[in-house]
Amino acid sequence: MPRAMIIGLDCLVPDVLEAPMDTLMPTVAGLARRGIGGVLRSTLPPITVPAWTSMLTGRDPGELGVYGFRNRRSFGYDDLVMANSTSVRLPRLWDRLTSAGRPSIVVGVPQTSPPPAIDGVLVSGFEGPIAGGAYTHPAGLATEIERVVGEYLFDIPDFRSAGLPDVLRTARLMTERRFTLMRHLVTTRDWDFAMLHEIAPDRMHHCFWRYHDERHPGHPPDSPYRDAIRDYYRFLDERVAELIDAAGPETAVLVASDHGATAMHGGVCVNEILRGAGLLTLRAEPDGPTPLTADMVDWSRTRVWGEGGYYARIFLNVAGREPAGIVPREQVPDLIEQIRDLFGVTDLGPAGILRNAVHTPAELYRRVRGIPPDLLAFFGEEKWRAIGSVGFGQRWVRTNDTGVDEANHSRNGMFALAAPGLAAGAPRTASILDVTPTMIDLLGLDPDPTLPGESLLAHQPFALAADRGEVGA
């Protein structure tokens, strides 16, 4: 049986495939040169959840019914729940393998807690165990992990508030242990599909991007952290090379990211703008900046409110839908257009004028499941965050309201694919939804004509399985 491996590097940028950055990650860049690689366009929103699940199911966030880390469970004002493995109701790649009686190894992939049962072994993602439950399938695998790497690190604790030296140290330690575990598993288990996800690049970008990116508005050229990201890239590339070697030359290898990174210029205070427009009314004026909570809002006088993050989720207080809704359903279309006008162009005074993208879910997705936001807003070509807190007394801020953040998410992630029998091709731009059909091709699984993406092998010379050689170094 053919076999394939995905090495998922969260937030890795496509720059690492091109000069001069390719010298920092020669293994990853070399995969793209021997096979194919380039920009991997992420989902909207371009965030870890749901992007990885979209990649591995071939379905967009609307089809998944997952629009971010927290999603509405009901139309209650504060009934938001964290997305976890039980939120995924469509098959991911390892589910397809399991149905075919073929084993997989899955380590660290987001939305895999609590750990689902698969044919093979699975270690939950950066969210870690839920309510003290198991984090591995089978449960006994945890004992083996402790023997191989000691304490397993899911994420960098409180990375937005931890000191930068602690972030650097923990990022390397976490990466070293995760890749060590993966090398152990791929050399001691039978498998046809393997996937590792590493969250550390994302954490490094959020903490150190302004020191790395000379175009960042807050870039200090002489910082001692100037090379923190570049040094981590070199370290990471070495771990990738070791894992590819352990997987063997007969394995097709895809290195991919869920989204990229760009300099964060600041944050748009979504709820402050809604307050200024008379669409959101609080019971009392906050003493200072504070997260917006349901009990702060006068719902009898509020038509719209928002949630912050890398994009804004805008919700309408609809009569007969929300508990104290006041917007008649016949007025919803006009209110949506009013909000489009309000956020389509944002005048931030000395910070400039932002031209933004404001969409309904139906405009973005093939199908809309669950309870989506009424509108999704993306600010300043994704260089500006959405700030959900209130009490700033202004429309914008330079910082994140939830802790340190030097980078925003970009839709442009990366991919590099090499496989036995795959001819080298020119750099290209692909969709994150193309990954599942590509893996189906590489693994010889039954095609799924319902998937919207296209296999990256569709227009690329690719030898039959019996004629394939080695990936090579």
Side-chain angles (χ1 to χ4, degrees), residues 51 81 161 192 194 216 311 340 352 473:
V81 294
S161 57
D192 287 343
H216 195 293
Y311 76 110
R340 284 190 198 270

Side-chain angles (χ1 to χ4, degrees), residues 242-282:
E242 293 166 352
L243 179 54
I244 292 174
D245 183 63
E250 73 283 1
T251 302
V253 177
L254 171 68
V255 176
S257 65
D258 55 333
H259 56 76
T262 188
M264 193 186 88
H265 290 213
V268 176
C269 300
V270 174
N271 285 317
E272 294 287 12
I273 292 174
L274 290 172
R275 291 177 69 198
L279 297 172
L280 168 62
T281 301
L282 303 184

Side-chain angles (χ1 to χ4, degrees), residues 109-134:
V109 177
Q111 275 195 280
T112 54
S113 187
I118 67 170
D119 185 342
V121 295
L122 182 145
V123 182
S124 290
F126 71 100
E127 59 268 35
I130 295 177

Side-chain angles (χ1 to χ4, degrees), residues 53 417 437:
T53 302
L417 171 66

